[in-house]
């Protein structure tokens, strides 16, 4: 069996690197930090009205009528954070709603969860409103797309072969262009052959001076005869 027919062994990918690469792509294409802060802000608003806090053996319960409002506000803020992750198109609405719910939670939900949800809610809402998608990349060449796909697949050998093939094609096209240019230059420098028809009408004009020169010779011979 030759080396050309042997099946290539699949290259093992690092699962940690694969997860990190996909997480980075996920984070860059949506208001990730704004949604995360909105969900973090909803937790203390939702937790404290239904928690039993102990201070030195003293149990404090805050399960009052404000608990229903805290439950609604906390759940809505968590839902808005998740929506900003998976539906970036509604990021402006989600950010404004997060800021308003955070401000409403100050009188309704124990000063916004004892102040623990105030800053995360306001900052998260502002990040969601101000986030914008990355600009579209410019149209790249076929060579760039092939090399990029090969690099993403983790196959450096394929990327190198594609780059080598594209370079050879470019060199061949350049050589063909130089050859054509040289041929055009040689054809331009070659002398132009004179057509026979161009010299035909000009020949009688050259014969007239010869006839005029013969006339004085004839007159000179007649004078000599008369002198004799």
């Amino acid at each position: 069996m030759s080396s050309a027919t042997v099946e290539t062994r699949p290259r093992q990918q690092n699962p940690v690197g694969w997860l990190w690469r996909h997480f980075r792509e996920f984070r860059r294409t949506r208001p990730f930090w704004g949604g995360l802060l909105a969900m973090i802000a909803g937790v203390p608003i939702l937790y404290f009205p239904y928690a039993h806090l102990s201070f030195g053996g003293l149990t404090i319960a805050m399960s009052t009528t404000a608990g229903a409002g805290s439950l609604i506000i906390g759940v809505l803020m968590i839902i808005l954070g998740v929506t900003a992750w998976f539906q970036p198109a509604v990021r402006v609405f989600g950010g404004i709603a997060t800021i308003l719910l955070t401000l409403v939670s100050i009188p309704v939900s124990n000063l916004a969860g004892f102040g623990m949800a105030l800053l995360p809610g306001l900052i998260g809402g502002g990040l969601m409103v101000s986030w914008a998608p990355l600009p579209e990349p410019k149209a790249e060449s076929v060579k760039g797309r092939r090399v990029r796909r090969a690099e993403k697949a983790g196959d450096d050998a394929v990327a190198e072969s594609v780059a080598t093939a594209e370079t050879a094609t470019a060199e061949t096209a350049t050589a063909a262009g130089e050859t054509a240019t040289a041929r055009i230059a040689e054809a331009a420098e070659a002398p132009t052959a004179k057509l026979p028809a161009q010299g035909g009408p000009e020949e009688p004009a050259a014969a007239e001076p010869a006839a005029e020169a013969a006339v004085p010779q004839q007159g000179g011979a007649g004078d000599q005869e008369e002198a004799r």
Side-chain angles (χ1 to χ4, degrees):
M1 181 182 294
S2 63
S3 60
T5 58
V6 176
E7 296 182 358
T8 58
R9 185 177 180 180
R11 186 175 180 179
Q12 297 180 356
Q13 295 183 357
N14 187 7
V16 177
W18 182 83
L19 289 174
W20 175 252
R21 184 169 61 253
H22 283 71
F23 170 73
R24 184 173 56 186
E25 294 179 358
F26 177 83
R27 176 172 54 85
R28 290 179 176 178
T29 55
R30 63 206 70 241
F32 177 79
W33 299 111
L36 181 62
L37 289 176
M39 288 186 283
I40 292 174
V43 172
I45 295 175
L46 180 64
Y47 173 74
F48 287 115
Y50 296 94
H52 296 278
L53 305 178
S54 297
F55 294 98
L58 180 63
T59 302
I60 300 175
M62 293 180 292
S63 300
T64 61
T65 55
S70 301
L71 176 65
I72 295 173
I73 292 173
V75 171
L76 284 177
M77 291 184 70
I78 294 174
I79 292 175
L80 289 172
V82 176
T83 304
W85 277 8
F86 296 98
Q87 294 293 333
V90 296
R91 61 186 182 276
V92 177
F93 168 78
I96 295 174
T98 301
I99 295 174
L100 293 178
L101 289 174
T102 303
L103 296 176
V104 170
S105 67
I106 296 175
V108 174
S109 179
N110 302 316
L111 299 176
F114 298 103
M116 297 179 63
L118 183 60
L119 288 179
L122 295 177
I123 295 174
L127 289 177
M128 282 192 287
V129 172
S130 62
W131 182 86
L134 295 174
E136 293 292 334
K138 296 181 179 180
E140 55 184 355
S141 60
V142 178
K143 173 185 175 182
R145 289 197 297 269
R146 291 180 181 176
V147 173
R148 187 175 179 182
R149 291 174 184 174
E151 289 178 353
K152 283 186 177 180
D155 194 351
D156 297 335
V158 175
E160 184 177 358
S161 62
V162 170
T164 304
E166 294 290 342
T167 304
T169 304
E171 291 178 354
T172 304
T174 304
E178 291 178 355
T179 303
T181 304
R183 290 180 178 177
I184 293 172
E186 291 178 358
E189 293 177 357
T192 305
K194 187 176 182 181
L195 298 177
Q198 296 177 356
E202 296 179 356
E203 290 178 357
E208 291 178 359
E212 292 177 357
V215 173
Q217 293 179 1
Q218 294 176 0
D223 295 338
Q224 292 178 0
E225 291 178 357
E226 290 178 357
R228 290 178 183 178

